[in-house]
Amino acid sequence: MLGLMQDHPLLISSLIEFAERHHGDRAIVSRRVEGDIHRYSWADAARRSCQVAHAVEAEGVPFSGRVATLAWNGYRHLELYYGVSGAGRVVHTINPRLHPGQLIWIVNHAEDQVLCFETSFLPLVQAIHTHCPTVRRWVLLCDADKLPHDSGIPNLVSYEAWIGAQSDRYTWPRFDENSAAGMCYTSGTTGDPKAVLYSHRSTILHAYGVALPDVTGLSACDVMLPVVPMFHVNAWGTPYAAALVGASLVFPGPALDGKSLYELIEAEKVTITAGVPTIWQMLLAHVSANKLRFSRLARLLIGGSAAPLAMIETFENDYGVKAIHAWGMTETSPLGTAWAPKAKHMDLSAQQCQPLKVKQGRAIFGVDLKIIDDQGHDVPWDGKTYGDLLIKGPWILRAYYKGQGSPLIRDEHALGWFPTGDVATIDADGYMQITDRSKDVIKSGGEWISSIDIENIAVAHPAVAMAACVGVPHPKWDERPVLLVVKRAGIEVSREELLRFYEDKIAKWQIPDDVIFMDSIALGATGKILKTKLREQLKDYKLPGV
Ligand code: AMP
């Protein structure tokens, strides 16, 4: 016997319809490439998303056809999210920080038919467009009168002209909720990038997950500023979760430096924001150098790489902003775990909880986790034993687009677990802690050293602005850790002093063998430390005494 409830497919168009009808007056504020501030509401966004839907139809893009974006976080990007997916086409967000060769590869692999791009990427598109034969329409995200006439790009139109001629009423089609809605390529640090294809169903279920009280607790009273780019796993689903609860959105455009972010947070009374630790480092440097305070900011979601304890403590103790440490990946939409207390922590003070927050949190309903050893056996949840982290759930990848077979590991129920490539521990309460990417773990004398632990300790030293730890080959121990450090301006520290800093914090054999001071540390396209590049830079380096 089947249940007798209404059969509504979970479609992305229902989010924008809901936001328009129930929270239509809530503001969407965007700092544009031009530097000015654009303001409108969810109702305006909904009307213009209808115009986008008509425009892709008029362009002849078929159902499931790909419409790509090379864009910052802003209102036009939001309209493409809803207009393209809502009309049953696939919005393919491309990371503009990738190498042009990788961009070409991705556009061809995805067979994008329309590509919408920001004026800041005009030179990039001029360089690649002849190599992208599937793209039949190039859309510059600008006003009609700003379109350059000598760009050399055929079939180029301004976004405002492209949608301007279309009606702002559209009947969103109904289709299978498992249809593809969005596409995002992994950063491709090993081999070619791989495409993750989100469905309408996975996107909506994930948006509910993001809004849960033990995750962001996002509500109709919030003003959310996603700093995490809309080209990186859909800004962690925040543009969808905001529509689902009726939150206001503030988009930073390309200005992600500490000063610009601080000014936007204050001017727009932002209550919650989301981004990677490197962004928060820049924000903290700005507020501390200028002795500033946050007037409304209450919560801050940190993920993408490990949040150091020093950062969590500074936000919470010095600025009264609750830090929510979360973990996920492109393949997991991305939300996998988030840190929130359990009832047993209620007797602890907020400060007593802080050291626990270096863990990446616990699974939220919708996903399940496990850790396994080399033979595929489960390892205990004791907070000490580490294993390869597997994850499953309705917003976790099953197969890559055009992938050869499925990467899933089957269990006894033939259900698939996605192997994350991360190494982690899980404690008895279910809190997971990432030890490393499996390829970044330092293997020394048969034991493992977590590069994340070494980095977290280093950045707690007042003279350290940024730190990275990599393994360097050693004739006896296989590998030994070396610490790379960028010093904070105006504060001196020596190699010996930094090594001494580890003495009461970790086992002696885990202390790095050397410290190398650098002017800068290479970051990848999503703001994470590029360990492959660092290893390359160290290829002629010899450990002391070897
Ligand atoms: P991406 O698919 O580019 O978002 O990268 C996903 C990877 O980033 C994960 O597999 C982890 O290695 C890393 N990552 C994400 N969040 C965290 C976190 N909170 N702590 C440590 N590593 C993280």
Side-chain angles (χ1 to χ4, degrees), residues 187 232 303-306 325-330 360 422 434 437 528:
S187 33
H232 185 208
S305 45
H325 193 189
W327 165 89
M329 14 184 358
T330 309
Q360 279 74 6
D422 284 334
I434 300 281
R437 281 303 283 166
K528 298 180 196 195

Side-chain angles (χ1 to χ4, degrees), residues 185-187 232-233 236 277 302-307 325-332 334 337 358-360 420-423 434-438 440 452 526 528:
Y185 280 72
T186 59
S187 33
H232 185 208
V233 216
W236 299 348
I302 311 182
S305 45
H325 193 189
W327 165 89
M329 14 184 358
T330 309
E331 288 90 336
T332 65
T337 64
V358 291
K359 299 197 180 212
Q360 279 74 6
T420 62
D422 284 334
V423 177
I434 300 281
T435 315
D436 246 316
R437 281 303 283 166
S438 55
D440 294 337
I452 294 181
T526 51
K528 298 180 196 195

